[in-house]
Amino acid sequence: MSEDKAVGLSINTATTRLQWGLIEAAEQYARMGVAGIAPWRDQIAECGLDNAVRAVRDNGLRVTGVCRGGMFPQPTRAAFEANLDDNRRAIDEAHALEADCLVLVCGGLPEGSRDLVGARTMVGEAITVLLPEARAAGVRLAVEPLHPMYAADRNCINTLAQAVALCDTVAPDDPEGWLGIALDVYHVWWDPALADVLDAVDPVRLHAFHICDWRRTTRDLLNDRAMMGDGVADIEGIARKLGALGFNGLPEVEIFSDEWWTAAPREVVATCLDRSLGLRQILSRSGA
Ligand code: ZN
């Protein structure tokens, strides 16, 4: 394989969410040579699911994930059940969009709770209920571990090892990988166990690879993600691992950034394509 061949790039629509709605993002991404898209549910709701499906289809885009399901721990049983229903709607949307996966941000502590163990138990319970339904709809579920700074309010699943253990507990016999992982460099780059866990993971569990960078000094815990190359994460090292495992998805740029949200959106996309080239070549060489 030639050195200059690179796998395609996907862009998560959060990256340009202040500049473009979903329809315009789909058109512009495709026009600029982006191969995939990962829409957020509020943006799907804004334009309507049918229009979203048409936009990705007409522009020939692969949907690398729908963001997002999850938020499973809830203060009451009724709220837990209502949230499951919302996740069922998310599964329907992922099915309609023929997405590679539905990304699960599993949820943190219910209001007023200090029971992190209980929250994690609720996550397992919810996915146990949803997994057969997702499978029946042909939708893979992807647990995304989030950096521990989000354990209280967003996600009590905080490391890759924890996410893999959750998958193995809920779906021990899952040769087709209906339950798996969305690996986001922003959340896992610091983890001393990352390489060892990746070495041991069943490749069928790898559903998504989210890329951006971790600024050396983060100015905001949510909206200060950096463009690849502007931070300290060894993104290419992680790409090398995924390539060796035969990951055949598209890397997906996901940048929440007050800075990039004020930039011209075409410049954002061009920078994403440029800055991801090296790791896309890595994935292409090792994935073939
Ligand atoms: Zn992500």
Side-chain angles (χ1 to χ4, degrees), residues 32-285:
M32 293 186 70
V34 172
I37 191 168
W40 281 69
R41 292 188 65 211
D42 63 317
Q43 294 174 307
I44 295 170
E46 203 172 72
C47 67
L49 181 58
D50 291 348
N51 290 328
V53 168
R54 200 170 306 122
V56 299
R57 193 177 293 156
D58 289 353
N59 288 290
L61 293 166
R62 174 172 173 178
V63 178
T64 50
V66 167
C67 289
R68 62 188 190 205
M71 299 297 155
F72 300 121
Q74 295 290 333
T76 64
R77 198 70 212 173
F80 181 84
E81 295 292 342
N83 181 62
L84 284 184
D85 283 341
D86 186 55
N87 273 275
R88 293 183 174 108
R89 289 189 285 276
I91 289 168
D92 290 344
E93 291 165 22
H95 167 79
L97 287 159
E98 298 177 32
D100 290 351
C101 61
L102 172 64
V103 173
L104 300 181
V105 172
C106 291
L109 290 167
E111 194 71 38
S113 169
R114 292 189 173 87
D115 185 4
L116 199 51
V117 173
R120 287 171 176 149
T121 302
M122 275 191 264
V123 169
E125 191 189 333
I127 297 176
T128 300
V129 172
L130 292 172
L131 184 59
E133 301 176 23
R135 182 180 174 167
V139 173
R140 287 186 157 74
L141 299 179
V143 174
E144 179 167 353
L146 256 57
H147 190 285
M149 67 182 171
Y150 301 118
D153 63 346
R154 280 195 169 71
N155 193 356
C156 58
I157 307 301
N158 305 108
T159 64
L160 178 62
Q162 230 184 330
V164 170
L166 175 62
C167 291
D168 290 345
T169 301
V170 172
D173 181 24
D174 184 22
E176 292 172 306
W178 289 100
L179 182 60
I181 307 290
L183 192 74
D184 186 326
V185 296
Y186 189 76
H187 298 300
V188 302
W189 70 274
W190 58 274
D191 183 352
L194 182 64
D196 287 347
V197 179
L198 276 178
D199 281 340
V201 77
D202 184 342
V204 81
R205 295 259 197 234
L206 293 172
H207 294 344
F209 179 31
H210 299 173
I211 57 172
C212 69
D213 213 333
W214 180 280
R215 207 179 291 285
R216 191 167 188 284
T217 303
T218 288
R219 300 165 297 190
D220 183 283
L221 296 187
L222 192 59
N223 296 330
D224 194 30
R225 292 183 177 215
M227 184 62 69
M228 294 75 70
D230 290 345
V232 296
D234 180 15
I235 309 166
E236 294 194 355
I238 297 172
R240 221 165 277 126
K241 282 273 183 200
L242 293 189
L245 288 164
F247 175 72
N248 62 7
L250 306 179
E252 172 189 319
V253 178
E254 184 184 35
I255 297 179
F256 314 125
S257 163
D258 292 327
E259 198 170 292
W260 286 102
W261 283 330
T262 61
R266 290 177 60 82
E267 180 201 331
V268 177
V269 172
T271 310
C272 290
L273 283 161
D274 178 50
R275 298 286 189 87
S276 64
L277 186 58
L279 71 97
R280 290 189 286 122
Q281 286 171 332
I282 288 169
L283 284 173
S284 173
R285 277 200 294 276

